[in-house]
Amino acid sequence: MGRTRRWRATACGLAAIASPVAALDYRTVVEPALMYDAPSQQAKPLFAIARGTPVELVVALDAWIKVRDAKGELAWIEKRLLSEKRSLMVRSDRAQVRASPEDGAALVFEADKDVLVDLVEPGPAGWAKVRHRDGQQGFVKANQVWGL
């Protein structure tokens, strides 16, 4: 069997056992990790990802998960390196975290682009309750963060 046919057979086999993940299912990377172009440590490493980074789950395959990061990059990561605990990444230039889920509420703190915050709980529509690593918490508009 030629190399192309073997590759196609392998791809078809993987597609048959891989399971798509529910839409907009997110996890958090638990430690710095390499991201690969295929579900194997022998695959080509694409880039490293930092601890605490939120990723969107795309496909689950045994011990590997294909994920999308905040930049839209797709890559494979070992399932054991992902946590159910959720973090969010600020995607606006400066996110305002407020005391309550209202535009006019008191400002608790601001977070610059790419800052990571923990998701405490989803808030009312369009908001999320978050906590900064220094302990401050409040509500941020959903359109100012990535990972919801």
Side-chain angles (χ1 to χ4, degrees), residues 100-134:
S100 62
E102 304 170 68
D103 285 325
L107 187 64
V108 177
F109 68 92
E110 291 184 306
D112 291 329
K113 186 175 180 116
D114 297 332
V115 166
L116 299 172
V117 292
D118 292 330
L119 175 64
V120 174
E121 62 189 43
W127 293 86
K129 188 172 185 179
V130 298
R131 180 178 18 255
H132 189 272
R133 68 179 177 189
D134 68 6

Coordinates of all heavy atoms in Angstrom, one line a residue, residues 100-134:
S100 N -20.9 44.8 40.0 CA -22.1 44.0 39.7 C -22.2 44.0 38.2 O -21.6 44.8 37.5 CB -23.3 44.7 40.3 OG -23.5 46.0 39.9
P101 N -23.1 43.2 37.6 CA -23.2 43.0 36.2 C -24.0 44.2 35.5 O -25.0 43.9 34.9 CB -23.8 41.7 36.0 CG -24.6 41.5 37.2 CD -23.9 42.1 38.3
E102 N -23.5 45.4 35.6 CA -24.2 46.6 35.1 C -23.1 47.5 34.6 O -22.1 47.7 35.3 CB -25.0 47.3 36.1 CG -26.1 46.4 36.8 CD -26.7 47.1 38.0 OE1 -27.4 48.1 37.7 OE2 -26.4 46.7 39.1
D103 N -23.3 48.2 33.4 CA -22.4 49.1 32.9 C -22.0 50.2 33.9 O -20.9 50.7 33.9 CB -22.9 49.7 31.6 CG -22.8 48.7 30.4 OD1 -21.8 47.9 30.4 OD2 -23.7 48.8 29.6
G104 N -23.0 50.7 34.7 CA -22.7 51.8 35.6 C -22.2 51.4 37.0 O -22.0 52.2 37.8
A105 N -22.0 50.1 37.2 CA -21.5 49.6 38.5 C -20.1 50.1 38.8 O -19.3 50.4 37.8 CB -21.6 48.1 38.6
A106 N -19.8 50.1 40.1 CA -18.4 50.6 40.5 C -17.3 49.7 39.8 O -17.5 48.5 39.7 CB -18.3 50.5 42.0
L107 N -16.3 50.3 39.4 CA -15.1 49.6 38.8 C -14.3 49.0 39.9 O -13.9 49.7 40.8 CB -14.3 50.6 38.0 CG -13.2 50.0 37.1 CD1 -13.8 49.1 36.0 CD2 -12.4 51.1 36.5
V108 N -14.1 47.6 39.8 CA -13.3 46.9 40.8 C -11.8 47.0 40.4 O -10.9 47.3 41.1 CB -13.8 45.5 41.0 CG1 -12.9 44.7 42.0 CG2 -15.2 45.5 41.5
F109 N -11.6 46.6 39.1 CA -10.2 46.7 38.5 C -10.3 46.6 37.0 O -11.4 46.3 36.5 CB -9.3 45.6 39.1 CG -9.6 44.2 38.7 CD1 -9.1 43.6 37.6 CD2 -10.5 43.4 39.4 CE1 -9.3 42.3 37.2 CE2 -10.8 42.1 39.1 CZ -10.2 41.5 38.0
E110 N -9.2 46.9 36.4 CA -9.1 46.8 34.9 C -8.0 45.8 34.6 O -7.1 45.7 35.4 CB -8.8 48.1 34.3 CG -10.0 49.1 34.3 CD -9.7 50.4 33.6 OE1 -8.7 51.0 33.9 OE2 -10.5 50.7 32.7
A111 N -8.2 45.0 33.5 CA -7.2 44.0 33.1 C -6.8 44.3 31.7 O -7.7 44.5 30.8 CB -7.8 42.6 33.3
D112 N -5.5 44.3 31.4 CA -5.0 44.5 30.1 C -5.2 43.2 29.2 O -5.5 42.1 29.7 CB -3.5 44.8 30.1 CG -3.3 46.1 30.7 OD1 -4.1 47.1 30.6 OD2 -2.2 46.3 31.3
K113 N -5.1 43.4 27.9 CA -5.2 42.3 26.9 C -4.3 41.2 27.3 O -3.2 41.4 27.7 CB -4.9 42.9 25.5 CG -5.1 41.9 24.4 CD -4.9 42.5 23.1 CE -5.1 41.5 22.0 NZ -6.2 41.8 21.1
D114 N -4.8 40.0 27.1 CA -4.1 38.7 27.4 C -3.9 38.3 28.9 O -3.4 37.3 29.2 CB -2.7 38.6 26.7 CG -2.9 38.7 25.2 OD1 -3.9 38.3 24.6 OD2 -1.9 39.2 24.5
V115 N -4.4 39.1 29.8 CA -4.4 38.8 31.2 C -5.4 37.6 31.4 O -6.5 37.6 30.8 CB -4.8 40.0 32.1 CG1 -5.1 39.6 33.5 CG2 -3.6 41.0 32.1
L116 N -5.0 36.7 32.3 CA -5.9 35.5 32.6 C -6.6 35.8 33.9 O -6.0 36.3 34.8 CB -5.0 34.3 32.7 CG -4.3 33.8 31.5 CD1 -3.3 32.7 31.8 CD2 -5.2 33.5 30.3
V117 N -7.9 35.5 33.9 CA -8.7 35.5 35.1 C -9.5 34.2 35.2 O -9.7 33.6 34.3 CB -9.7 36.7 35.1 CG1 -8.9 38.1 35.1 CG2 -10.6 36.7 33.8
D118 N -9.8 33.8 36.5 CA -10.5 32.6 36.7 C -12.0 32.9 36.6 O -12.5 34.0 37.0 CB -10.3 32.1 38.1 CG -8.9 31.6 38.3 OD1 -8.3 31.1 37.4 OD2 -8.4 31.7 39.5
L119 N -12.7 32.0 35.9 CA -14.2 32.1 35.8 C -14.7 31.6 37.2 O -14.6 30.4 37.5 CB -14.7 31.3 34.7 CG -16.2 31.2 34.5 CD1 -16.8 32.6 34.2 CD2 -16.6 30.2 33.5
V120 N -15.4 32.5 37.9 CA -16.1 32.1 39.1 C -17.4 31.4 38.8 O -17.7 30.3 39.3 CB -16.3 33.3 40.1 CG1 -17.1 32.9 41.3 CG2 -14.9 33.9 40.4
E121 N -18.2 32.1 38.0 CA -19.5 31.6 37.5 C -20.0 32.4 36.3 O -19.7 33.6 36.3 CB -20.5 31.5 38.6 CG -20.8 32.9 39.2 CD -21.7 32.9 40.4 OE1 -21.5 32.1 41.3 OE2 -22.6 33.7 40.5
P122 N -20.8 31.8 35.5 CA -21.4 32.6 34.4 C -22.3 33.6 35.1 O -23.0 33.3 36.1 CB -22.1 31.6 33.6 CG -21.5 30.3 33.9 CD -21.0 30.4 35.3
G123 N -22.4 34.8 34.6 CA -23.3 35.8 35.2 C -24.6 35.9 34.4 O -24.8 35.0 33.5
P124 N -25.3 37.0 34.6 CA -26.5 37.2 33.7 C -26.0 37.3 32.3 O -24.8 37.5 32.0 CB -27.1 38.5 34.2 CG -26.3 38.9 35.4 CD -25.1 38.0 35.5
A125 N -26.9 37.2 31.3 CA -26.6 37.2 29.9 C -25.6 38.4 29.6 O -25.9 39.5 30.0 CB -27.9 37.4 29.1
G126 N -24.5 38.0 28.9 CA -23.6 39.0 28.5 C -22.5 39.3 29.6 O -21.7 40.2 29.3
W127 N -22.5 38.7 30.7 CA -21.6 38.9 31.8 C -21.0 37.6 32.4 O -21.6 36.6 32.2 CB -22.2 39.7 32.9 CG -22.6 41.1 32.6 CD1 -23.8 41.5 32.0 CD2 -21.9 42.3 32.8 NE1 -23.9 42.8 31.8 CE2 -22.7 43.3 32.3 CE3 -20.7 42.6 33.3 CZ2 -22.3 44.7 32.3 CZ3 -20.2 43.9 33.3 CH2 -21.0 44.9 32.8
A128 N -19.9 37.7 33.0 CA -19.3 36.6 33.7 C -18.6 37.1 35.0 O -18.0 38.2 35.0 CB -18.3 35.9 32.9
K129 N -18.8 36.3 36.1 CA -18.1 36.7 37.4 C -16.7 36.1 37.3 O -16.6 34.9 37.1 CB -18.9 36.2 38.6 CG -18.3 36.7 39.9 CD -19.2 36.3 41.0 CE -18.7 37.0 42.3 NZ -19.6 36.6 43.5
V130 N -15.7 36.9 37.5 CA -14.3 36.5 37.4 C -13.5 36.9 38.7 O -13.9 37.7 39.4 CB -13.6 37.1 36.2 CG1 -14.3 36.6 34.9 CG2 -13.6 38.6 36.2
R131 N -12.4 36.2 38.8 CA -11.5 36.5 39.9 C -10.0 36.6 39.4 O -9.6 35.8 38.6 CB -11.5 35.4 41.0 CG -10.6 35.6 42.2 CD -10.6 34.6 43.3 NE -11.2 33.3 42.9 CZ -12.4 32.9 43.3 NH1 -13.2 33.6 44.0 NH2 -12.8 31.7 42.9
H132 N -9.4 37.7 39.7 CA -8.0 37.9 39.4 C -7.1 37.1 40.3 O -7.5 36.8 41.5 CB -7.6 39.4 39.5 CG -6.3 39.7 38.9 ND1 -5.2 39.7 39.6 CD2 -5.9 40.1 37.6 CE1 -4.1 40.0 38.9 NE2 -4.6 40.3 37.7
R133 N -5.9 36.8 39.9 CA -5.0 36.0 40.8 C -4.7 36.6 42.1 O -4.3 36.0 43.1 CB -3.8 35.5 40.1 CG -2.8 36.7 39.8 CD -1.6 36.2 39.1 NE -0.8 37.4 38.8 CZ 0.3 37.3 38.0 NH1 0.7 36.2 37.5 NH2 0.9 38.4 37.8
D134 N -4.9 38.0 42.2 CA -4.6 38.7 43.5 C -5.8 38.6 44.4 O -5.8 39.2 45.5 CB -4.1 40.1 43.2 CG -5.2 41.0 42.6 OD1 -6.4 40.6 42.5 OD2 -4.9 42.2 42.3

